[in-house]
Amino acid sequence: MAAITLPAAGTIAIAYVTKAGIGARSFGGVAATVGAIALFVDGARVLARHTHGWRRWSMAPIGLVGAFVGVSTIFPAVYATNVPRPTLGDARPSDYAFDYLDVSFDTDDSVTLSGWYIPSTNGAAVVLAHGASSTRTSVLDQAAVVAKHGYGVLAFDARGHGRSGGRAMEFGWYGERDIAAAVTYLRTRPEVEQHRIGVLGMSMGGESAIGALAADPRIAAVVAEGATNRVYRDKEWMADRYGLRGRFQLGIEWMTYQLTKALTEAKPPLALADSLRAAAPRPALLIAAGNVEDARIVGERLRAAAPGNVELWVADGAN
C-alpha cells in the first residue's frame, strides 16, 4: 500500500508546490515522497541481500522498469484528480473595453460555476472554455476577438478552477456538464437566439467542447484549439506511428486511465473521434499548432474520422 499511497502523496505535493506554493499539504506530501524513496531503497537492499546468482543481477533493470511504469501511471492519474485550485488573475473584460456581467449558474449535479458574460449584439453567443490548470482570465484575448464581432461571450471557470465550486479534473471529464450549464444560461438571455450558440475551447476546454457538441444538440458548432486527448482511445494512434515504443507507451496510458477512473467520480467521456462522428452534421473547426508534430497528426486523424463536418486549420509556425 505504501508503494502507491506515498508516491501519490508526493504527486499531490509537487502539484501544490508548483501551482499553489509551499503549504501544509505540499510539505506533508514532500515528506511522504522522501519516505517512499527511503522505503524503496531499503526494500531493494533487503531483497538483494536474500537473492543470489543471476537473480540478483536481474533485480536492477526489473526494478528500474517497474519504478518507471509506476511513476508514469501514478503521477498523471493522481495529478489529474487532485488539481490545486488555480486562482483568478487580475485582468477583466473591461481592460479590453467591453462591458460585462459577473454571472453564476448551476450544473445538473448542483455545482455552482462562476463567469463573465459580455452581452451579444448580433444575436449569437459563444461559451468560452479555458484549458487545464487555468481560469477564464487566460482566455480574455480570445474573448476580445470574438466579442468585437458582436458575439456574446460567456467565459467561465471550469469546476474546481478560479471561483467555481466543485472538484477539478485535469482531463476535463466534467466538461460536458459544465458546458451544458453554460449553454442553459445563454438560452436565458433575451438578446441571444437559441439556435445560435457555439463553444470555443482551448486545450482541455477544446476537448470538452468536442464532447459537448456530441452530447448537447443545443450547440450549433464548436472551435477546438489544441484538442488532442482525454481518454485512452484518443492515443491508440501511437502504436501505428511509433511502433514498439508506441505500443509500450500505449500500455502505460491504458494503466493510467484505469487508475484515473478509480480516483474520480467523473465518468470517462467518448473518444474525440467518436464525439465528432456523433455530432454530425453540426460543424467543428480544429486548430493545431504547426510546430507540434503530434498535434498535427491528431488533427488529421480527427478530421478523417468525420470529414463531412470537421475542418482542420494547422497554424503554420505556431508552437
Side-chain angles (χ1 to χ4, degrees), residues 49-77:
R49 192 171 60 203
H50 292 85
T51 305
H52 303 283
W54 65 269
R55 292 182 179 86
R56 172 179 290 185
W57 296 107
S58 67
M59 285 173 51
I62 292 174
L64 289 173
V65 171
F68 173 79
V69 171
V71 170
S72 298
T73 55
I74 293 173
F75 184 91

Side-chain angles (χ1 to χ4, degrees), residues 270-298:
L270 291 175
L272 295 174
D274 292 337
S275 292
L276 289 168
R277 283 190 286 261
R282 287 170 294 146
L285 171 64
L286 310 180
I287 304 175
N291 287 350
V292 183
E293 182 182 17
D294 285 359
R296 300 197 312 271
I297 293 171
V298 171

Side-chain angles (χ1 to χ4, degrees), residues 202-204 206-207 210 224-229 272 286-287 295 298-299 302:
M202 311 293 127
S203 189
M204 179 189 78
E207 292 149 10
I210 291 172
E225 178 180 331
T228 54
N229 64 85
L272 295 174
L286 310 180
I287 304 175
V298 171
L302 292 178

Side-chain angles (χ1 to χ4, degrees), residues 28-309:
V30 170
T33 304
V34 174
I37 295 172
L39 285 174
F40 180 82
V41 171
D42 186 64
R45 180 182 59 80
V46 172
L47 186 60
R49 192 171 60 203
H50 292 85
T51 305
H52 303 283
W54 65 269
R55 292 182 179 86
R56 172 179 290 185
W57 296 107
S58 67
M59 285 173 51
I62 292 174
L64 289 173
V65 171
F68 173 79
V69 171
V71 170
S72 298
T73 55
I74 293 173
F75 184 91
V78 173
Y79 185 89
T81 52
N82 293 271
V83 185
R85 178 179 293 274
T87 56
L88 201 64
D90 295 329
R92 296 293 183 270
S94 55
D95 297 332
Y96 294 76
F98 291 107
D99 295 328
Y100 72 99
L101 303 173
D102 283 303
V103 301
S104 62
F105 45 92
D106 294 334
T107 65
D108 63 1
D109 57 341
S110 302
V111 174
T112 300
L113 305 179
S114 181
W116 297 314
Y117 175 60
I118 301 172
S120 173
T121 59
N122 67 3
V126 171
V127 175
L128 184 50
H130 61 75
S133 296
S134 61
T135 68
R136 58 189 129 142
T137 52
S138 69
V139 292
L140 279 174
D141 286 342
Q142 287 86 351
V145 170
V146 176
K148 75 177 182 180
H149 291 287
Y151 293 89
V153 178
L154 175 56
F156 73 98
D157 296 326
R159 68 179 63 199
H161 296 69
R163 294 180 180 171
S164 289
R167 182 176 178 178
M169 204 290 175
E170 195 84 344
F171 294 159
W173 289 3
Y174 289 112
E176 284 85 338
R177 281 184 140 164
D178 291 356
I179 290 174
V183 171
T184 297
Y185 172 81
L186 286 178
R187 285 167 65 91
T188 68
R189 299 295 310 180
E191 75 277 10
V192 175
E193 300 172 27
Q194 295 196 357
H195 66 286
R196 299 182 66 198
I197 296 174
V199 183
L200 168 60
M202 311 293 127
S203 189
M204 179 189 78
E207 292 149 10
S208 297
I210 291 172
L213 185 65
D216 194 337
R218 302 174 301 170
I219 299 173
V222 304
V223 177
E225 178 180 331
T228 54
N229 64 85
R230 61 198 315 226
V231 293
Y232 167 76
R233 286 196 55 221
D234 289 324
K235 296 188 175 183
E236 289 180 335
W237 62 271
M238 291 191 301
D240 296 331
R241 177 69 179 178
Y242 297 114
L244 181 61
R245 178 167 64 92
R247 287 190 288 274
F248 178 75
Q249 181 62 37
L250 199 56
I252 291 176
E253 298 293 344
W254 182 85
M255 288 187 285
T256 297
Y257 284 110
Q258 293 302 311
L259 180 57
T260 301
K261 286 192 290 185
L263 295 175
T264 180
E265 295 180 354
K267 294 182 179 180
L270 291 175
L272 295 174
D274 292 337
S275 292
L276 289 168
R277 283 190 286 261
R282 287 170 294 146
L285 171 64
L286 310 180
I287 304 175
N291 287 350
V292 183
E293 182 182 17
D294 285 359
R296 300 197 312 271
I297 293 171
V298 171
E300 292 288 358
R301 291 175 66 90
L302 292 178
R303 177 169 62 179
N309 60 302

